[in-house]
Amino acid sequence: PLAPGPPPSVGPTTTVPPTTTPREPTTTRPAPTTTRPPAPSRVVLGPGGLGPAAFGRPPDQVIAALRVVLGQPDEERSWDQRQQQLFGACPGGNHHFARWGKLYALFADGDTGQGPPGRQHFFAWYAEAPQAGGKRLETVHGIAVGSTTAQVRAAYGDRALIWGAEGGLPAGFRVGSLQDLQLFGWLTDPGPQGTVTALAAGSPCGE
């Protein structure tokens, strides 16, 4: 019988070439995305404006910015307060508002303290519901329509001045001084279990 011998050699090197070519190491690159980041779930009711829209800006810029987060306004029109005072006596003579549900953005050309007199500008917002356009409406401290008086006190501490109903006016609160008014609202009751019925900021219109 033949004894087993070494494997057959191929060529002078006696090495059998591999039958497959080694692959270069691969890296996985993320596929480019064209999706937009998710829209924010809330709109901040701020002392200087509403969400991305700042007080003092002209109506077209403000409404365009709010349309991105809230969608098309449910109503948008001007009014003559000599015939109809929708929000009380507002400064100036050229007034306009845009509404999303029960959220209002107000514009006027008077001396509101929020923008240049003589040019229509964003000067106040009013919120009478906790949501608009599918977004939650709340302050940076989480206060919204429906929050309790106790939550207002916890959020703003000594900065919140709260009062009871008097002279036909409802209970309410304000944050900041009259010279530096940051937020104001109305309450069902000044007690801890009272609830916020409306919020506003900017330069309120008078009676």
Side-chain angles (χ1 to χ4, degrees):
L2 297 176
S9 62
V10 178
T13 62
T14 71
T15 304
V16 179
T19 57
T20 58
T21 304
R23 295 184 178 180
E24 293 290 332
T26 58
T27 56
T28 303
R29 296 181 181 178
T33 177
T34 57
T35 59
R36 295 182 179 179
S41 60
R42 71 168 184 165
V43 173
V44 175
L45 305 174
L50 179 60
F55 289 142
R57 307 304 300 169
D60 57 344
Q61 294 182 13
V62 171
I63 294 171
L66 292 174
R67 189 182 291 120
V68 173
V69 293
L70 292 170
Q72 193 70 17
D74 296 313
E75 184 180 11
E76 183 184 347
R77 65 184 176 93
S78 299
W79 83 94
D80 184 348
Q81 68 174 14
R82 292 172 299 181
Q83 300 175 0
Q84 186 179 26
Q85 291 189 0
L86 299 178
F87 304 95
C90 302
N94 187 11
H95 304 95
H96 191 82
F97 77 88
R99 176 181 65 83
W100 292 263
K102 291 187 176 181
L103 173 67
Y104 300 83
L106 274 60
F107 307 91
D109 63 351
D111 187 6
T112 66
Q114 302 292 342
R119 180 172 67 84
Q120 203 173 64
H121 57 272
F122 182 30
F123 76 95
W125 58 257
Y126 288 84
E128 298 176 345
Q131 289 189 341
K135 304 295 191 299
R136 179 164 174 79
L137 308 174
E138 63 182 16
T139 71
V140 70
H141 295 288
I143 298 302
V145 172
S147 296
T148 65
T149 307
Q151 289 173 323
V152 171
R153 289 189 183 277
Y156 296 103
D158 294 340
R159 292 185 296 154
L161 175 64
I162 298 173
W163 60 84
E166 185 178 355
L169 296 176
F173 73 96
R174 76 167 190 258
V175 178
S177 65
L178 291 176
Q179 293 72 33
D180 183 27
L181 186 61
Q182 299 175 28
L183 178 72
F184 59 97
W186 292 265
L187 300 164
T188 58
D189 189 275
Q193 299 306 312
T195 57
V196 176
T197 59
L199 292 167
S203 298
C205 296
E207 295 299 325

